[in-house]
Amino acid sequence: MLTKKWTVDNVDPLKMNYPQLKEAAALLQQEEVVAFPTETVYGLGANALSDQAVQKIFEAKGRPGDNPLIVHITKKEQLTDLVDNLPEVAEKLMQAFWPGPLTLVLKSRDSVSKYVTAGLDTLAVRMPDHPVALALMEVSGLPLAAPSANLSGKPSPTTAAHVDEDLDGKIAGIVDGGPTGVGLESTVVDCTTEIPIILRPGGVTKEQLEAVVGQVEVDPALTSQDQAPKSPGMKYTHYAPVAPVFLVEGGLDFLKETILRAQKDGKKVGLLVTEETKFELGEAGDVMLTCGTRSDLSTVATNLYDVLRAFNSTDVDIIFSETFPKTGVGAAIMNRLDKAAGQKIISER
Ligand code: TXA
Ligand code: MG
């Protein structure tokens, strides 16, 4: 399949009346799948109401059929058709964080394709905070089912080039709206329980949620190996580069020793570090890639997936990553790093 590519800048795409967006929207109306930018990561969109269209998402990504999709909308009014009874907690969260990197899991009205929910009686919905995403949905007039636009198991795409790398020839089109901002996926919150539960940490932090609705729980499966996660997608290995990733917990000297030990074993060592650690390490390792600064962890979120992908264009045998406190956006960063590493941790203690 020939994949069409369009570039759209973010200056009020609705007013600009871009012919590119009309073409992309027309393909969506013809049950095709089209990748588009959101503020978190690129999404792979299809008409959420069409079985045929939604099945193409699973085919293109190689995604397991039991992993449900998020439906993206532009207006709160669209919820009336999609979900049953909106709990007050959900209303408050939408008010505070939409449009934005927050996905709400609500009681489904079964009005979308059955392939979207993968047999669950709940539906995940979000309103993205990206002018190109919103314009594409407005022009097509469709709610879009959209997972991240990567091959299953790969890091989510934060640029159109990442999407191209994974899906060129497999999808109808890619709308390039520049690099995404947040860099990690939305926070998924189950609002069908008395107390809301975070199923996937993401762009909106637990602390931010609690400031709006009080107590918020975290799915215990996120921190324990022996529970099945309530969000099916969280059970799969993810975000992994080709070389194995190890998280290194400990001081700078411990990291240096760990690097030297691996090099003595004949391994080419890749390092995933912040600006601060890079400065302190000097010439250590074979390939050092930086992913932002510890003084502002949102910069690490923005760059993490790009750096994980970039290791695949190097010849390293092993990757050591520094770790972060699991508070604020650090919770989402560590969740993704844990998955990229498949829980492999080298600890000083
Ligand atoms: O930021 C994002 O959320 C991006 C952009 C494109 O919007 N999308 C995204 O979609 O990350 P995806 O499919 O890669 O991840 C969706 C997650 C999966 O872990 C899935 O299992 C979970 O949401 N999910 C979807 N529907 C659910 C439901 N009804 N109940 C529980 N979890 C659900
Ligand atoms: Mg994904």
Side-chain angles (χ1 to χ4, degrees), residues 129-153:
D129 187 14
H130 196 292
V132 174
L134 295 171
L136 184 62
M137 287 191 279
E138 278 294 318
V139 176
S140 68
L142 297 171
L144 294 182
S148 49
N150 51 284
L151 286 175
S152 251

Side-chain angles (χ1 to χ4, degrees), residues 36 38-44 61 63 66-70 72 101 103 105-106 116-117 120-126 128 146-150 156 184-188 190 199-200 230-235 238-239:
F36 62 96
T38 81
E39 82 282 25
T40 57
V41 300
Y42 272 73
L44 185 59
K61 282 186 59 110
R63 181 176 176 110
D66 68 348
N67 191 2
L69 306 175
I70 298 170
H72 296 65
T103 294
V105 172
L106 298 160
V116 170
T117 51
L120 299 177
D121 59 0
T122 54
L123 182 69
V125 198
R126 97 174 181 98
S148 49
N150 51 284
S156 296
L184 298 179
E185 301 87 341
S186 62
T187 305
V188 179
D190 184 353
L199 305 184
R200 176 178 72 181
K230 286 186 68 181
S231 176
M234 299 304 285
K235 68 174 182 270
H238 257 93
Y239 317 121

Side-chain angles (χ1 to χ4, degrees), residues 4 34 77 100 115 169 228 243 277 332-333:
K4 280 214 147 201
V34 171
E77 294 80 82
Y115 298 108
T277 307
I333 294 170

Side-chain angles (χ1 to χ4, degrees), residues 210-249:
E210 285 179 333
V212 173
V213 294
Q215 193 187 356
V216 173
E217 286 173 358
V218 176
D219 183 0
L222 294 182
T223 46
S224 135
Q225 298 304 333
D226 21 79
Q227 296 225 23
K230 286 186 68 181
S231 176
M234 299 304 285
K235 68 174 182 270
Y236 296 106
T237 320
H238 257 93
Y239 317 121
V242 176
V245 178
F246 290 80
L247 308 187
V248 183
E249 281 177 347

Side-chain angles (χ1 to χ4, degrees), residues 81-295:
D81 289 337
L82 297 173
V83 299
D84 253 345
N85 67 16
L86 267 186
E88 204 190 320
V89 159
E91 293 273 10
K92 283 188 184 160
L93 291 175
M94 288 188 292
Q95 188 65 32
F97 299 108
W98 278 11
L102 177 68
T103 294
L104 302 179
V105 172
L106 298 160
K107 264 257 157 301
S108 173
R109 290 194 63 169
D110 291 332
S111 53
V112 296
S113 160
K114 59 182 182 292
Y115 298 108
V116 170
T117 51
L120 299 177
D121 59 0
T122 54
L123 182 69
V125 198
R126 97 174 181 98
M127 189 187 294
D129 187 14
H130 196 292
V132 174
L134 295 171
L136 184 62
M137 287 191 279
E138 278 294 318
V139 176
S140 68
L142 297 171
L144 294 182
S148 49
N150 51 284
L151 286 175
S152 251
K154 292 275 217 90
S156 296
T158 53
T159 64
H162 294 162
V163 180
D164 198 62
E165 203 173 283
D166 281 12
L167 296 173
D168 184 38
K170 297 193 165 111
I171 59 176
I174 302 173
V175 181
D176 183 348
T180 61
V182 177
L184 298 179
E185 301 87 341
S186 62
T187 305
V188 179
V189 176
D190 184 353
C191 292
T192 64
T193 48
E194 190 66 27
I195 299 167
I197 307 172
I198 297 177
L199 305 184
R200 176 178 72 181
V204 175
T205 66
K206 180 168 188 271
E207 293 82 350
Q208 287 173 309
L209 295 169
E210 285 179 333
V212 173
V213 294
Q215 193 187 356
V216 173
E217 286 173 358
V218 176
D219 183 0
L222 294 182
T223 46
S224 135
Q225 298 304 333
D226 21 79
Q227 296 225 23
K230 286 186 68 181
S231 176
M234 299 304 285
K235 68 174 182 270
Y236 296 106
T237 320
H238 257 93
Y239 317 121
V242 176
V245 178
F246 290 80
L247 308 187
V248 183
E249 281 177 347
L252 196 66
D253 287 338
F254 180 70
L255 177 56
K256 283 182 182 163
E257 284 163 27
T258 307
I259 296 165
L260 286 176
R261 216 177 314 127
Q263 285 177 320
K264 266 196 203 123
D265 284 350
K267 296 206 165 78
K268 275 211 164 172
V269 174
L271 297 170
L272 196 172
V273 293
T274 55
E275 297 290 348
E276 289 87 344
T277 307
K278 178 187 178 186
F279 179 77
E280 289 173 336
L281 278 177
E283 292 296 297
D286 297 285
V287 176
M288 208 184 301
L289 298 181
T290 52
C291 66
T293 161
R294 284 189 89 86
S295 65

